[in-house]
């Protein structure tokens, strides 16, 4: 006898797997926490096993939960593909997506991965530039949509998340204790550059530039070698580095991660924007 599983409870399960939290899963799916908890309970009743265990403030998969994840992912993907075939227009062509170098490695991979699974026939061209350059490219129609890092949010923009600018350096490093302070900064168009310089001047901290390029690879290399410190968004600090809390370093402001779209976007661009919202919301 055939038995069917409600796809909603499987989505709730995967949302908790993705976020590690019922609260965040509820935000991702636009449901109440109670609804998510009830759906997880229903799936556990079908399974006959607990699917999650608590590790501090985060939910982690039990062995039975891990065993279920692959099949659950395949089921949802197959459902979404079938629904797209039934309801959505056939998307073709290209999406030109811009992101600044400071979040290219932290925020964009999940978006690209998720969109590629949903629309494998669409080519995504990734453009990496400073935020001010991306906004100019968007206005000129050279790209379809962009994520930016800004102190505020401009006309037509949508703030998806806020993230504090922090000082980062090598784990256990000494660079932040040197005088003058060695700093790796972006190029002139980098939005973090004037903010960091102004903060250092206000704190009367002498500094010297070690690296001045809008490219995370050389900046990261100088930090990991303990040759410098750099202003980075807290969420973007890789595991090989640490956020510096020394009182000798001035406090930096909070930036906004904003989403902008070209005027009159194509349906496929709207779909990409929706994936960006969902990915960033899940990564709070």
């Amino acid at each position: 006898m055939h038995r069917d599983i409600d796809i909603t409870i499987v989505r709730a399960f995967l949302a908790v797997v993705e976020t590690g939290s019922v609260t965040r899963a509820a935000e991702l799916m636009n449901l109440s926490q109670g609804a998510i908890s009830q759906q997880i309970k229903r799936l556990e009743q079908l399974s006959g096993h607990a699917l999650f265990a608590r590790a501090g403030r985060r939910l982690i998969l039990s062995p039975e939960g891990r065993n279920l994840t692959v099949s659950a992912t395949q089921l949802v993907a197959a459902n979404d593909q079938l629904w797209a075939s039934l309801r959505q227009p056939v998307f073709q062509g290209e999406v030109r997506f811009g992101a600044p170098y400071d979040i290219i490695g932290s925020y964009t991979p999940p978006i690209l991965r998720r969109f590629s699974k949903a629309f494998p026939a669409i080519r995504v061209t990734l453009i990496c530039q400073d935020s001010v350059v991306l906004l100019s490219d968007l206005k000129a129609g050279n790209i379809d949509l962009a994520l930016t890092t800004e102190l505020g949010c401009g006309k037509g923009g949508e703030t998806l998340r806020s993230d504090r600018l922090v000082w980062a350096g090598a784990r256990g490093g000494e660079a932040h204790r040197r005088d003058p302070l060695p700093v790796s900064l972006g190029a002139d168009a980098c939005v973090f550059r004037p903010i960091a310089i102004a903060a250092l001047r206000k704190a009367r901290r002498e500094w010297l530039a070690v690296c001045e390029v809008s490219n995370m690879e050389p900046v990261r290399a100088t930090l990991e070698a303990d040759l410098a410190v750099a202003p980075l968004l807290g969420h973007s600090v890789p595991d090989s580095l640490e956020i510096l809390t020394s009182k000798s370093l001035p406090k930096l402001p909070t930036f906004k991660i904003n989403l902008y779209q070209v005027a009159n976007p194509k349906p496929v661009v709207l779909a990409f924007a929706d994936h960006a919202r969902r990915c960033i919301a899940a990564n709070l």
Side-chain angles (χ1 to χ4, degrees), residues 12 19 48 50 66 69 71-72 80 93 108 126 137 148 164 213 217 244 253 258 264 271:
T19 63
R66 286 195 298 272
T69 302
S71 296
D80 291 350
T108 60
L126 180 63
D137 285 346
T148 65
R164 178 166 288 281
V213 294
E217 289 303 313
L244 304 173
N258 298 324
N264 302 315

Side-chain angles (χ1 to χ4, degrees), residues 171-189:
R171 288 190 171 275
E174 299 292 328
H176 66 283
R177 296 190 176 93
R178 297 179 191 135
D179 194 19
L181 179 71
V183 183
S184 284
L185 297 166
D188 290 342

